Amino acid sequence: MDNALQLELNAEREKNKLLLNIVNSIPEPIMAKNWRGNFIFANKRVAELYGTTPEKMIGKEDSFFTGNKEQGQFFKKNIQSIIRRFDTEMVYEDSTDARTGEIRHFHSLKIPFKNNNDELNIAIFAKDITEIISLKNRAEANAKRLEHVLEVSGEGMWDWNIQTNEVFQNQKWADITGVKHSKRSFSEFQDCLVEEDKKYVLASLQALIEKKIPYDIEFRFRRPDGQVIWIWDRGQVVEYDDQGKPKLLVGIMQDITEKKFNQSEIELMAFYDTLTMLPNRALLNDRLNLALEHSKRFKKYGAVLFLDLDNFKTLNDAYGHQAGDDLLAIVAQRIQSVIRKDDTVARFGGDEFVIVLNELDSEPVKAAIKAQRLAQSIRHSINQKINIKISNTTSEIDYFISASVGITIFYGQVKAPSELLQLADLALYQAKKNGRDDCAMFDPVMQEKLDYSTRLDKELRQSLKQKDFVLYYQPQYDAKQNLVSAEALIRWSHPELGLVNPGDFIKVAEESNLILPIGDWVLSEACQQLKKWQSDPQYQHLSLSVNISAKQIWQKDFVVGVKRIVSDSGINVSKLKLEITESILLRDINGTAEKLNDLVAFGLTFSLDDFGTGYSSLGYLKNLPIDEIKIDQSFIRDLFNNKTDLIMIKSIIDLGKNFGINVVAEGVETEAHFEILKEFDCDIYQGYYFSRPVPLSEFATLI
């Protein structure tokens, strides 16, 4: 071969290689097939879809790579049909991606041709339109979904090209408005707007277009048949022109006529108590805010009265809830008859009422006096005889009930509504503490107590993490003054306040449920100390009492938790005594008895603290596994001044003997106390006569 021919051949090869590189760089499928449907050429994109190389595709048909013979047969028949007609065609077809099994969609140009041997072949140039088809299907599905949603929700849809004034409304829009779709439908819509609302609607649309202010309004509309309906209409700009000006508005509307007609009833249910027809808590909060604003504007003091009926539960228990409801309705009327028209009375819940008094006086003392006088008038009105019909009978009863009232004064917006209610409630608590059927005014001393409790609650949580608590031990002696046991008492060693009075922080812990982790800590700490005593012959005779709160026992996992703590300590359980009070039994005596019996079977014993202060102590002794009762120290304190207390103490000790239960006297502060209790044959003695509660180090010296 001469050099010229070789150069020409090399140039041709380079040209073919360049052409092949160009074809392979095209990201869309390019291929050629013979009459039998076998590949005679395929670029890299085709090979990628079939998970192979262009070289390996030559001489094979599609199903060899996809495994889909039915699809391969379809491709073969299709190209034979086109070759037979020998005419270029555009077709839409699907192919399987051999790598993922995904069906992909193609728009293919198929061109029949003859090769140098005059054999019929076909060239195929395909474009992958899978994503386009997916978007199209999704758009159609969304449109269908929107159509269904609008149909279900009862909403009409509209769009408005504000530049061409072309409008479109769906059928639901026409059904709601009664206006048929036409070139004039928007003008007809405007004509049907109730005259008083037309300016508002058009101004709202203009504000949307010019200032992008949200369009979400309610208005009245007079249908062509004369019926006036309420419409809720919402819309927004969804398309702008090249200059950034709004072009297309889209919106939805809904017929809310029925909602509007029912709105007064809904407001009644939402903001008024259905029994008394007084404002409920939600509306009370609004009225309080208005009262605060009013006070600020007119510089006058107002007041909040928190009223609670005394012993209301007795009526419900005796005559049923219907009688109670009737009484509440009458009380509501009586309160309303006393207060002024500009004042508010609300039912706060149960048998509690809140009264908001406006414009009492510009001087706080005078305002407080007026509030107190009004509170007394309300109480006097409630105290009058109430005639109540007994349900399911023809009987009627004359009933008398009293009320306790807490009062707080406000000026301007110094305090939030919730704070005012809290202060009035605090004053109410004082009124009840005074013996009920009384009024009490909130004062700064109460505020100090409230602030102190709030601080304790916050710092209790921190101290629980830091373990700032310690146990003190108060010894208990027998009649021969032998130390036989002790009571473990928690003390809070506050970093700044020092030892905090248990009477202060225990109540706070109870209200915040912190008593639960604190109670677990006390029991665990006491068990660890008892274990140490039981390992020392000098202490192993001692028993140890631990106080358990009502909230602890009311927990579902109380028994499991106690067993776990005691078992982990490895103590002799017979030396551990749990002290409970009657308050534990108020919620569920049967459930409590079941829990106590479970722990008695485990080996623990129980002591009933503050015995004699409740009204059903004898019943507790009958139903509960009590091994010990503790005479409340209030009886011991007045032992020599009150003959009734003396008789009570003697009776409790005799009762214990008859039931075979040990009796502990708390609050033994003098030798005289000790001698007379010993004369009554009391079993155990505890009090300052022997020792105050002391740290562990001091307790050791008592042995």
Side-chain angles (χ1 to χ4, degrees):
M1 182 180 301
D2 58 31
N3 287 338
L5 185 59
Q6 183 64 47
L7 289 173
E8 185 179 349
L9 183 59
N10 289 342
E12 190 65 29
R13 284 175 179 168
E14 287 300 319
K15 189 189 301 181
N16 289 340
K17 184 188 290 185
L18 176 62
L19 182 61
L20 185 61
N21 288 338
I22 292 171
V23 172
N24 278 329
S25 67
I26 295 174
E28 302 291 357
I30 299 175
M31 69 203 85
K33 294 182 179 180
N34 60 22
W35 172 263
R36 293 185 299 279
N38 295 332
F39 289 96
I40 58 175
F41 173 79
N43 72 346
K44 284 186 177 181
R45 178 57 182 148
V46 180
E48 286 173 359
L49 289 171
Y50 283 178
T52 183
T53 62
E55 293 76 18
K56 293 180 179 179
M57 296 188 71
I58 306 305
K60 302 180 181 65
E61 51 95 20
D62 297 81
S63 63
F64 179 85
F65 304 100
T66 65
N68 190 336
K69 292 187 177 182
E70 184 178 346
Q71 187 185 67
Q73 192 64 28
F74 170 80
F75 286 157
K76 181 177 179 181
K77 288 182 178 179
N78 177 254
I79 64 170
Q80 287 180 346
S81 173
I82 295 172
I83 292 173
R84 191 178 291 114
R85 294 193 302 275
F86 210 76
D87 196 11
T88 299
E89 285 192 14
M90 298 283 291
V91 299
Y92 292 92
E93 56 190 352
D94 301 333
S95 180
T96 304
D97 189 328
R99 299 167 300 172
T100 63
E102 177 188 9
I103 301 298
R104 302 197 67 81
H105 307 283
F106 294 92
H107 183 206
S108 303
L109 174 65
K110 299 189 176 183
I111 307 171
F113 70 93
K114 291 182 179 181
N115 62 12
N116 294 333
N117 298 324
D118 208 32
E119 295 171 338
L120 291 169
N121 295 299
I122 191 166
I124 303 169
F125 301 89
K127 180 167 183 60
D128 191 335
I129 58 170
T130 304
E131 299 305 322
I132 296 173
I133 294 294
S134 176
L135 289 172
K136 175 176 173 290
N137 292 340
R138 198 179 308 156
E140 290 175 351
N142 287 339
K144 199 70 176 175
R145 190 177 296 116
L146 175 61
E147 186 178 330
H148 291 322
V149 168
L150 292 172
E151 187 176 329
V152 170
S153 66
E155 293 180 327
M157 184 177 72
W158 56 268
D159 66 55
W160 175 29
N161 188 319
I162 58 177
Q163 295 181 351
T164 65
N165 213 31
E166 292 178 290
V167 294
F168 166 79
Q169 301 100 359
N170 67 351
Q171 185 57 46
K172 193 64 184 179
W173 185 93
D175 294 340
I176 292 172
T177 62
V179 177
K180 294 181 180 179
H181 176 66
S182 69
K183 290 183 178 180
R184 288 196 68 256
S185 54
F186 186 70
S187 297
E188 289 184 38
F189 169 78
Q190 294 182 66
D191 293 340
C192 290
L193 292 169
V194 171
E195 196 61 36
E196 292 85 353
D197 294 351
K198 182 180 291 187
K199 185 176 180 181
Y200 165 62
V201 175
L202 298 180
S204 298
L205 282 170
Q206 201 66 23
L208 170 66
I209 296 168
E210 295 179 358
K211 301 178 182 178
K212 299 181 182 179
I213 297 174
Y215 177 75
D216 188 340
I217 63 173
E218 296 176 2
F219 54 86
R220 289 166 295 173
F221 185 86
R222 189 181 303 277
R223 288 166 47 96
D225 59 12
Q227 180 188 2
V228 175
I229 62 173
W230 274 93
I231 286 176
W232 177 24
D233 203 16
R234 292 91 79 202
Q236 65 182 48
V237 179
V238 296
E239 196 174 318
Y240 295 85
D241 62 17
D242 296 339
Q243 285 75 43
K245 294 180 179 180
K247 179 179 178 182
L248 184 65
L249 272 60
V250 171
I252 52 176
M253 68 159 50
Q254 191 172 6
D255 184 345
I256 58 169
T257 308
E258 186 175 353
K259 171 191 168 185
K260 279 290 184 180
F261 284 156
N262 293 335
Q263 195 162 1
S264 59
E265 185 176 345
I266 293 171
E267 287 180 359
L268 190 66
M269 293 173 64
F271 298 110
Y272 289 87
D273 172 55
T274 54
L275 174 63
T276 62
M277 302 309 294
L278 295 176
N280 59 15
R281 285 195 191 192
L283 185 53
L284 171 64
N285 193 64
D286 286 343
R287 295 281 177 87
L288 265 172
N289 278 313
L290 288 173
L292 291 170
E293 181 63 36
H294 189 84
S295 173
K296 179 183 178 182
R297 184 181 306 165
F298 295 98
K299 296 180 171 50
K300 292 284 185 75
Y301 282 86
V304 174
L305 279 55
F306 209 128
L307 182 148
D308 180 75
L309 298 178
D310 300 326
N311 302 313
F312 175 72
K313 186 175 182 293
T314 304
L315 174 68
N316 272 339
D317 292 345
Y319 299 105
H321 288 285
Q322 185 58 53
D325 288 349
D326 291 346
L327 183 137
L328 289 172
I330 294 170
V331 167
Q333 292 170 5
R334 291 188 177 182
I335 297 173
Q336 284 181 300
S337 69
V338 175
I339 66 172
R340 302 164 301 179
K341 288 184 179 180
D342 292 336
D343 298 329
T344 295
V345 55
R347 186 182 178 198
F348 197 70
D351 60 334
E352 296 177 327
F353 297 85
V354 172
I355 301 101
V356 182
L357 306 177
N358 291 302
E359 288 194 61
L360 290 173
D361 204 277
S362 56
E363 295 183 21
V365 176
K366 290 181 180 179
I369 292 171
K370 288 181 180 179
Q372 196 156 28
R373 285 175 181 169
L374 195 54
Q376 297 290 13
S377 297
I378 292 171
R379 283 184 49 254
H380 178 73
S381 176
I382 292 172
N383 287 351
Q384 304 306 305
K385 179 178 66 178
I386 297 176
N387 185 262
I388 299 175
K389 187 177 183 301
I390 306 303
S391 58
N392 301 323
T393 70
T394 57
S395 303
E396 294 183 349
I397 61 167
D398 291 334
Y399 197 80
F400 292 88
I401 196 164
S402 62
S404 300
V405 183
I407 308 167
T408 188
I409 303 298
F410 64 82
Y411 183 78
Q413 293 175 304
V414 177
K415 296 188 181 299
S418 59
E419 290 181 90
L420 290 174
L421 291 171
Q422 189 177 15
L423 298 179
D425 191 27
L426 195 62
L428 172 63
Y429 173 79
Q430 187 62 46
K432 287 185 173 292
K433 192 175 179 181
N434 293 343
R436 302 174 187 268
D437 192 18
D438 194 11
C439 295
M441 181 76 66
F442 175 81
D443 60 37
V445 174
M446 289 185 187
Q447 180 67 63
E448 287 179 17
K449 290 180 179 178
L450 182 65
D451 292 342
Y452 183 60
S453 295
T454 303
R455 177 185 177 184
L456 289 184
D457 177 69
K458 179 181 178 181
E459 296 184 4
L460 262 177
R461 300 174 188 276
Q462 187 64 28
S463 286
L464 193 58
K465 296 177 184 177
Q466 297 173 181
K467 299 181 179 179
D468 291 332
F469 301 103
V470 293
L471 286 187
Y472 274 41
Y473 300 87
Q474 187 167 30
Q476 297 174 337
Y477 295 83
D478 63 15
K480 295 180 181 180
Q481 299 197 45
N482 296 315
L483 179 58
V484 294
S485 55
E487 180 179 0
L489 298 165
I490 188 172
R491 294 292 183 267
W492 181 11
S493 182
H494 191 281
E496 297 176 12
L497 302 175
L499 282 180
V500 182
N501 185 343
D504 291 342
F505 76 83
I506 291 297
K507 181 183 176 183
V508 173
E510 289 273 5
E511 292 174 350
S512 63
N513 281 335
L514 286 174
I515 195 66
L516 301 178
I518 289 175
D520 286 347
W521 178 87
V522 170
L523 181 59
S524 177
E525 194 75 8
C527 285
Q528 291 176 37
Q529 185 55 51
L530 187 57
K531 178 64 176 176
K532 292 176 182 177
W533 286 349
Q534 290 176 353
S535 302
D536 188 332
Q538 191 178 9
Y539 296 93
Q540 60 189 198
H541 68 287
L542 294 177
S543 295
L544 186 60
S545 299
V546 177
N547 290 286
I548 301 295
S549 80
K551 284 198 173 181
Q552 285 178 272
I553 289 190
W554 292 339
Q555 300 304 305
K556 290 182 179 180
D557 60 351
F558 169 69
V559 172
V560 174
V562 169
K563 287 182 178 180
R564 175 181 52 77
I565 292 172
V566 173
S567 297
D568 289 348
S569 69
I571 62 170
N572 175 3
V573 294
S574 66
K575 294 295 185 180
L576 179 64
K577 190 171 295 177
L578 303 184
E579 288 193 18
I580 62 174
T581 62
E582 290 186 10
S583 62
I584 289 174
L585 312 169
L586 295 178
R587 178 180 290 186
D588 178 14
I589 188 170
N590 293 327
T592 300
E594 185 178 339
K595 291 177 181 179
L596 299 192
N597 281 316
D598 192 341
L599 290 175
V600 166
F602 178 65
L604 295 174
T605 55
F606 284 91
S607 174
L608 186 58
D609 201 4
D610 302 334
F611 189 80
T613 57
Y615 67 91
S616 55
S617 300
L618 291 177
Y620 297 154
L621 295 183
K622 176 184 175 182
N623 296 306
L624 299 173
I626 301 298
D627 293 282
E628 177 183 275
I629 53 178
K630 301 183 77 173
I631 304 173
D632 187 66
Q633 58 184 317
S634 62
F635 295 115
I636 309 295
R637 187 182 306 116
D638 297 328
L639 181 60
F640 298 108
N641 302 321
N642 191 318
K643 187 176 179 180
T644 303
D645 285 350
L646 189 67
I647 296 171
M648 180 72 75
I649 292 168
K650 180 68 168 66
S651 300
I652 292 173
I653 294 173
D654 290 342
L655 184 69
K657 300 298 180 187
N658 294 333
F659 274 87
I661 296 174
N662 283 337
V663 178
V664 178
E666 287 188 296
V668 181
E669 297 185 355
T670 66
E671 183 178 1
H673 284 155
F674 174 62
E675 291 299 331
I676 195 168
L677 288 166
K678 187 166 63 171
E679 184 180 324
F680 289 161
D681 200 18
C682 184
D683 300 298
I684 306 294
Y685 307 83
Q686 177 181 347
Y688 278 29
Y689 172 64
F690 300 100
S691 173
R692 59 184 175 81
V694 294
L696 183 62
S697 58
E698 291 185 37
F699 183 82
T701 64
L702 298 174
I703 299 294

